[in-house]
């Protein structure tokens, strides 16, 4: 009988963890105060002509990264002042470490001078991200 209770408790913990992770996936979070200088690959990716650059941190074998790339690319294509770039950190783990990125995909919205506006862990939800960025952008509808 003890085995059954252990199984039930394990299943309950797994369901709770799954619900928590699903709720956090794609959530827009406010920026953390910058404590370090941006790594060179990130600085090089910033577009000085755009109000906001979305830097997507990805890895080679990340399946959700492809979906995030599609969402962010579409958003950048239809929004004035928004630029999207994907950085693969598979061979550059120090970039992810210096940005405090613990999972891929992670999207960081940066100003042309490198100030972090917000970040999204997981696949971003386009409308929520656009709404959070609206104060920094001029949107073109298409």
């Amino acid at each position: 009988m003890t085995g059954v209770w252990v199984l039930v408790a394990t299943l309950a913990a797994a369901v709770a963890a799954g619900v928590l992770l699903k709720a956090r996936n794609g959530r827009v979070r406010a920026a953390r105060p910058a404590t370090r200088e941006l790594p060179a690959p990130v600085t090089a990716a910033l577009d000085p002509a755009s109000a906001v650059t979305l830097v997507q941190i990805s890895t080679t074998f990340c399946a959700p990264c492809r979906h995030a790339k599609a969402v962010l690319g579409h958003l950048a294509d239809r929004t004035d002042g928004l630029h999207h770039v994907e950085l693969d950190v598979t061979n550059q783990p120090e970039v992810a470490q210096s940005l405090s990125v613990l999972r891929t995909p992670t999207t960081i919205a940066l100003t042309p001078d490198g100030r972090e506006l917000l970040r999204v862990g997981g696949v971003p939800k386009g409308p929520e991200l656009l709404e959070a960025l609206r104060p920094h952008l001029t949107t073109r509808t298409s």
Side-chain angles (χ1 to χ4, degrees):
M1 188 68 172
T2 304
V4 172
W5 288 112
V6 170
L7 177 63
V8 168
T10 303
L11 288 174
V15 167
V19 168
L20 178 65
L21 287 174
K22 182 156 178 68
R24 293 186 61 175
N25 190 41
R27 188 183 73 191
V28 176
R29 295 180 311 187
R32 297 183 180 142
T35 56
R36 299 186 205 178
E37 192 172 312
L38 289 175
V42 176
T43 304
L46 294 176
D47 182 8
S50 296
V52 176
T53 299
L54 297 175
V55 178
Q56 177 188 339
I57 307 299
S58 301
T59 53
T60 302
F61 299 106
C62 168
C65 293
R66 291 187 286 278
H67 185 63
K69 181 179 180 178
V71 170
L72 296 171
H74 176 71
L75 204 60
D77 287 345
R78 67 182 184 96
T79 307
D80 286 333
L82 188 61
H83 178 68
H84 168 246
V85 64
E86 181 181 19
L87 287 179
D88 186 333
V89 296
T90 302
N91 297 320
Q92 313 175 69
E94 66 279 359
V95 173
Q97 182 181 9
S98 69
L99 294 171
S100 301
V101 171
L102 299 177
R103 68 183 280 196
T104 57
T106 293
T107 304
I108 304 172
L110 298 166
T111 61
D113 64 354
R115 184 173 51 90
E116 184 176 329
L117 300 171
L118 56 88
R119 70 174 51 203
V120 179
V123 178
K125 297 172 179 87
E128 289 177 17
L129 180 58
L130 190 58
E131 187 61 33
L133 291 172
R134 195 168 306 284
H136 308 282
L137 300 172
T138 304
T139 305
R140 174 181 78 234
T141 56
S142 57

